[in-house]
Amino acid sequence: MLGEMDIKEKFTARLEKFIALAAVRLSDDVMSRLAEMQGREDTPLQKAIYDSYFENLKMAIDLKRPCCQDTGMLQFYIKAGTAFPYLDITAEVLTEATRRATASVPLRPNAVNYFDEKNTGDNTAERSPWIDWEIVPNSSDMEITLYFSGAGCSLPGQAKVFKPSDGIEAIIPFVFDAVCGPGINACPPLLVGIGLGHNIENAAVLSKKACIRLLGTKHPHPKGAELERRITDGLNNLGMGAQGLRGNQAVMGVHIESSARHTATIACAVNVSCYTLRRGIIRFKKDLSYEMPTYSGAAL
Ligand code: SF4
């Protein structure tokens, strides 16, 4: 029987290794999508860019190094069963695992406290790592989605509240402006996350949840799924490809997450992820056994 300290250590060590895995290796769905996209490009320049992407990704695994130098700010999106036995220590464990992984992987220290203007050196700082909680009733499991939020893909983020008279179509040029302007700097092909809500902050949170959704999934409402498809097709008809250069596909996909809107508002936020979409999922049982649905064949 493990004591309290042993459990905390086991949980921390697993998460440290999981952070290392997610920094080095892209999830299976992202790798498959990038391979499909390379097959649809038809110029030597685009083929060469994808070749360099894949070479970089392979070398990251071979050398056990992060696949991009900007390992970003760590964000954990948690679906916590109410009966998961380690809820009390989860935030502490995630923070310690972040601190250890920053040294052991290593990750680039990016966290700067606003009013000290000092880099803490270990990626733990005010509300960092960022932890978002969803409670799951009648469950003893915990699912943790880790996202590395780099600067290149955070800078294009935009949010705006439209009037209902503007109509839902008003979000389309807004999204295109975000992708075609600052989005080009975020190492396309991008995954575009759109949050639709009743005010600016719930739209912003939903836009990131759209970015961590698995590729190949659709908005549950047929009209939401249709809007995802239309915006994807439009962005992929711009003549922009990998690295923002001439090509056939600017985006890996467009995901929309939504909540109800106020009768008098249409709030929209846009977030993007770059080609190194570092999003990984780990699921724990109450005995801390785990599965990692986004990394076939991997073990910690
Ligand atoms: S946009 Fe992505 S791939 Fe490009 S430098 Fe930033 S984190 Fe790395």
Side-chain angles (χ1 to χ4, degrees):
M1 188 89 176
L2 291 177
E4 192 181 324
M5 288 309 292
D6 298 325
I7 286 167
K8 194 182 276 188
E9 181 54 34
K10 183 175 175 182
F11 199 8
T12 307
R14 288 236 154 116
L15 283 164
E16 179 188 355
K17 288 183 181 166
F18 175 67
I19 293 168
L21 174 67
V24 168
R25 176 177 159 182
L26 298 187
S27 293
D28 299 341
D29 60 324
V30 181
M31 289 300 288
S32 302
R33 181 60 57 90
L34 291 173
E36 287 164 21
M37 293 180 79
Q38 183 178 33
R40 288 196 289 265
E41 292 293 352
D42 50 17
T43 64
L45 175 63
Q46 282 296 313
K47 297 273 186 203
I49 293 170
Y50 276 95
D51 282 345
S52 74
Y53 282 176
F54 285 117
E55 185 183 359
N56 173 57
L57 294 168
K58 180 178 180 310
M59 287 178 74
I61 292 170
D62 291 348
L63 299 170
K64 297 188 174 62
R65 290 186 194 160
C67 59
C68 178
Q69 43 76 36
D70 185 357
T71 46
M73 300 288 282
L74 277 69
Q75 299 187 304
F76 296 99
Y77 291 84
I78 298 181
K79 292 182 180 164
T82 47
F84 183 71
Y86 309 117
L87 290 176
D88 282 349
I89 61 169
T90 298
E92 186 189 341
V93 161
L94 287 170
T95 302
E96 179 58 19
T98 298
R99 185 178 290 118
R100 290 188 196 178
T102 299
S104 62
V105 176
L107 306 176
R108 191 172 85 183
N110 286 318
V112 176
N113 281 323
Y114 263 92
F115 298 107
D116 301 332
E117 279 301 329
K118 272 193 185 153
N119 190 321
T120 59
D122 63 7
N123 282 317
T124 72
E126 184 181 23
R127 295 192 168 111
S128 296
W130 183 262
I131 304 175
D132 177 276
W133 295 90
E134 286 181 27
I135 299 296
V136 183
N138 306 314
S139 167
S140 57
D141 298 345
M142 174 175 281
E143 179 179 289
I144 300 175
T145 301
L146 166 59
Y147 183 86
F148 291 88
S149 184
C153 33
S154 299
L155 283 164
Q158 312 260 340
K160 184 169 180 179
V161 184
F162 296 90
K163 297 191 292 293
S165 55
D166 295 326
I168 187 81
E169 299 283 322
I171 74 161
I172 297 174
F174 177 66
V175 172
F176 272 63
D177 284 349
V179 172
C180 298
I184 289 175
N185 297 324
C187 298
L190 309 175
L191 174 65
V192 180
I194 300 173
L196 295 177
H198 64 269
N199 62 18
I200 209 151
E201 78 269 13
N202 81 348
V205 169
L206 289 170
S207 70
K208 179 51 69 69
K209 294 198 174 184
C211 280
I212 63 174
R213 219 175 77 200
L214 290 174
L215 291 165
T217 56
K218 292 180 183 172
H219 190 279
H221 194 289
K223 289 184 180 172
E226 175 62 9
L227 189 55
E228 289 176 337
R229 188 196 61 73
R230 283 174 59 207
I231 299 175
T232 303
D233 288 351
L235 291 169
N236 281 339
N237 272 307
L238 290 170
M240 181 175 31
Q243 284 297 322
L245 300 171
R246 180 173 286 279
N248 293 334
Q249 305 144 107
V251 297
M252 288 187 256
V254 173
H255 290 174
I256 298 175
E257 288 289 310
S258 54
S259 72
R261 66 177 181 85
H262 187 288
T263 182
T265 63
I266 294 174
C268 177
V270 188
N271 230 311
V272 303
S273 175
C274 55
Y275 93 93
T276 61
L277 201 184
R278 289 154 297 169
R279 174 266 290 125
I281 300 173
I282 186 166
R283 295 188 188 125
F284 287 103
K285 295 284 183 197
K286 64 182 178 184
D287 63 357
L288 292 183
S289 62
Y290 65 92
E291 61 175 10
M292 297 187 292
T294 49
Y295 301 103
S296 59
L300 301 178

